[in-house]
Amino acid sequence: MLDEVLKIRPYYAWALLMRAVRMLQANDPGHAKKTLNFAVQVIPHHVPTLMARGSLYVSGKNYFKGIKDLEEVIRLEPEFAPPYAVRGQVRELRGETQKALEDYDRVLSLKPGHLGVLVRRAMIRARLEMKGAIDDLDRVLQARPEFIV
């Protein structure tokens, strides 16, 4: 049976990922994590599954395991912005401000209009009185003028 599964494993990994998403929607993160762990065993380098599991670990405050998965995603797909954004948030939470800024800069080099990252970077820069905070916020307001109160 396992041999048959391994022949179709890319499709199986997607099916497991979708199953984990349904479990999360049903507020069952424990079973979602088990499903994602199994999916990673079946196809270890499936970027969407690693990204989902890493994000699930981060949301559960298991930052070590989350960053490990995110760094594997970065290794496999270095031009994919989301793992840098999530890792930046974790680094920011852990007080690793310079590393967080490096991750946010990388996201913005890949996706220049990423509003969430622009806001996070602006807040760090403002807190540290760094040049560029106002420029970041201006870019956000140009893209989303409805944010002006």
Side-chain angles (χ1 to χ4, degrees):
M1 174 73 171
L2 185 59
D3 290 339
E4 293 301 313
V5 168
L6 293 178
K7 287 179 188 173
I8 61 166
R9 64 186 182 173
Y11 303 105
Y12 194 58
W14 278 109
L16 288 169
L17 177 58
M18 294 302 106
R19 184 176 185 197
V21 168
R22 284 194 305 278
M23 290 173 177
L24 287 171
Q25 290 169 339
N27 199 25
D28 190 357
H31 282 103
K33 191 183 324 175
K34 287 178 185 177
T35 300
L36 291 170
N37 286 339
F38 181 67
V40 170
Q41 287 176 350
V42 171
I43 182 164
H45 304 299
H46 190 247
V47 168
T49 303
L50 286 166
M51 187 69 205
R53 188 175 73 170
S55 297
L56 183 59
Y57 280 135
V58 167
S59 71
K61 295 187 168 74
N62 189 338
Y63 300 136
F64 178 78
K65 286 185 176 182
I67 285 197
K68 184 177 173 188
D69 279 353
L70 296 170
E71 288 179 346
E72 179 65 5
V73 171
I74 289 168
R75 186 186 71 74
L76 294 167
E77 295 285 342
E79 302 301 309
F80 185 48
Y84 295 100
V86 176
R87 186 176 70 178
Q89 291 173 0
V90 171
R91 288 175 163 177
E92 189 177 349
L93 288 169
R94 292 167 63 178
E96 299 169 1
T97 306
Q98 189 56 45
K99 288 182 177 182
L101 285 171
E102 290 168 12
D103 279 339
Y104 294 157
D105 288 343
R106 180 66 175 144
V107 171
L108 294 170
S109 74
L110 296 169
K111 288 185 75 176
H114 193 297
L115 297 179
V117 169
L118 276 169
V119 169
R120 294 191 82 84
R121 188 174 76 173
M123 294 298 106
I124 291 174
R125 286 176 166 179
R127 192 171 57 243
L128 299 177
E129 298 180 12
M130 292 176 64
K131 182 180 175 187
I134 299 299
D135 293 336
D136 283 349
L137 291 175
D138 280 343
R139 286 175 59 191
V140 170
L141 294 177
Q142 287 172 8
R144 300 291 294 272
E146 66 272 19
F147 287 177
I148 299 174
V149 178

